[in-house]
Amino acid sequence: HSKVGDLKILAQKSLRQGFLKLITAEGHVLTNPEISLQAAGMQEGEHLTVVAQQTKVAHTGQAFALWCPRGNQVVAWGNPEGGGDCAVVEGVLWNVQEIQATDKAFAAILNDGSVISWGSPDDGGDCSVVQDQLSNVRQIQATECAFAAILADGSVVAWGNRDHGGDCSAV
């Protein structure tokens, strides 16, 4: 039996598009490449919609991150200490809206308004200290070593290197 991943590869080759979303006639998005088409609920002769997704890329001084807005995958490569390895946050990097970068870290805004960061902890790659404040995030900006998030209520939350803007408590 053919798998969802086999069909996606065929569609990618046929359409010459790397990032595709497969959608059934009932509107279900086929995300698990290992599942058979039959197990995914597909019937022979049934039509699928294939949506080409726009890709975006961000970079630190040492790595790249590639994603599709509202997609379910982020691919990072380069120096692991400079953000090139997102394995530690891979399970939560879903529905990414935007990614910003410092010189050695990435921060992603997810569709639910939360933020995930990875890379060098000293350069913004660890937002755990302010994680509980990072909700309803509308925008992220970065310096060389810190991030600032603007929330829906207009407040600002910062993290990363204090000498580079990672502490906005005086504001």
Side-chain angles (χ1 to χ4, degrees):
H1 294 276
S2 293
K3 295 181 179 182
V4 169
D6 300 331
L7 181 60
K8 190 169 186 176
I9 289 169
L10 180 62
Q12 288 170 328
K13 288 179 180 177
S14 296
L15 298 173
R16 295 184 182 166
Q17 291 284 330
F19 287 85
L20 300 177
K21 187 182 289 189
L22 304 177
I23 306 170
T24 67
E26 292 80 32
H28 301 289
V29 179
L30 303 178
T31 57
N32 185 345
E34 298 301 318
I35 195 168
S36 72
L37 292 172
Q38 185 177 15
M42 294 290 304
Q43 303 295 322
E44 190 169 329
E46 185 176 351
H47 290 97
L48 268 178
T49 299
V50 178
V51 178
Q53 297 179 290
Q54 175 189 12
T55 56
K56 293 191 174 192
V57 69
H59 66 88
T60 67
Q62 302 177 1
F64 291 96
L66 177 75
W67 81 99
C68 296
R70 295 173 304 283
N72 60 1
Q73 183 179 18
V74 174
V75 179
W77 68 96
N79 183 347
E81 295 174 8
D85 182 3
C86 62
V88 69
V89 294
E90 192 171 54
V92 291
L93 276 176
W94 296 89
N95 297 312
V96 173
Q97 286 184 355
E98 176 186 351
I99 295 179
Q100 290 291 336
T102 64
D103 195 45
K104 295 181 182 176
F106 291 106
I109 302 176
L110 307 183
N111 279 352
D112 66 1
S114 63
V115 172
I116 303 295
S117 64
W118 71 96
S120 169
D122 295 335
D123 298 295
D126 180 2
C127 60
S128 61
V129 173
V130 294
Q131 189 73 59
D132 61 330
Q133 299 171 56
L134 292 172
S135 60
N136 297 315
V137 174
R138 297 295 183 247
Q139 182 181 3
I140 294 178
Q141 290 296 321
T143 66
E144 183 180 349
C145 304
F147 291 107
I150 301 170
L151 309 186
D153 65 4
S155 62
V156 176
V157 177
W159 71 97
N161 186 305
R162 301 174 129 252
D163 294 332
H164 291 265
D167 178 5
C168 64
S169 58
V171 178

